[in-house]
């Protein structure tokens, strides 16, 4: 039996336990039915230190990363770190939104007065990505 590709669902802590996060998880599960979705909301990390210690092993196990922003369009420093690491290791990264999947091209930092660890940047979408192109996507 072939292992299911692991896809990390990167999203801001400000969305944890929200209807928005639940809807995005449901949408991603629909788009990538063959993937094992790794949701950090369900992780047992007790602190940022624990997350930082575990993240390299999690990253190494991934076939893809999908990120979605909070309703205001922002992501925090943690999302920027996770997505940047995925891109640096040539792990496919996409943005999930009402339009479906788009390639993650990068980030636009918020202006200094607006910026905080929880609201740090906006995502820059690239080309549309067909679910079948992404690990665990439907054919």
């Amino acid at each position: 039996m072939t292992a299911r590709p692991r896809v990390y669902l990167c999203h801001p802590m400000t969305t944890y336990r929200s209807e928005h996060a639940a809807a995005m998880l449901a949408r991603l599960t629909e788009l990538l039915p063959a993937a094992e979705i790794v949701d950090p909301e369900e992780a047992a990390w007790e602190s940022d230190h624990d997350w930082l210690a575990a993240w390299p092993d999690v990253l190494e196990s991934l076939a893809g990363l999908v990120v979605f922003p909070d309703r205001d369009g922002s992501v925090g420093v943690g999302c920027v770190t996770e997505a940047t690491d995925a891109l640096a290791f040539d792990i496919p990264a996409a943005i999930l939104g009402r339009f479906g999947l788009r390639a993650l091209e990068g980030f636009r930092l918020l202006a200094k007065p607006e910026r905080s660890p929880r609201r740090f940047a906006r995502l820059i979408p690239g080309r549309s990505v067909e679910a079948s192109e992404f690990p665990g996507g439907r054919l």
Side-chain angles (χ1 to χ4, degrees), residues 8-11 55 59 64-69 73-97 99-109 121-130 133-134:
Y8 189 81
L9 180 57
C10 177
H11 58 107
W55 175 242
L59 181 66
L65 179 141
V66 174
V67 60
F68 70 84
S74 70
V75 295
V77 172
C79 287
V80 172
T81 298
E82 292 167 347
T84 300
D85 285 350
L87 292 171
F89 284 89
D90 292 324
I91 295 170
I95 301 168
L96 178 63
F99 44 73
L101 292 172
R102 307 271 313 234
L104 173 62
E105 291 295 319
F107 304 92
R108 183 171 298 111
L109 299 183
R122 297 199 186 281
L123 305 169
I124 300 173
R127 69 173 183 83
S128 290
V129 175
E130 293 297 321
E133 296 176 65
F134 210 80

Side-chain angles (χ1 to χ4, degrees), residues 1 5-6 24-26 31 36 41-42 48 50 54-57 59 61 72 74 76 78 86-88 107 114 122 132:
M1 185 166 127
R6 289 172 50 93
M24 296 304 264
L25 176 60
L31 289 171
E36 174 190 347
E41 187 174 328
E42 302 302 321
D48 286 347
D50 289 346
W55 175 242
D57 290 332
L59 181 66
S61 75
D72 69 358
S74 70
L87 292 171
F107 304 92
E114 300 174 58
R122 297 199 186 281
S132 60

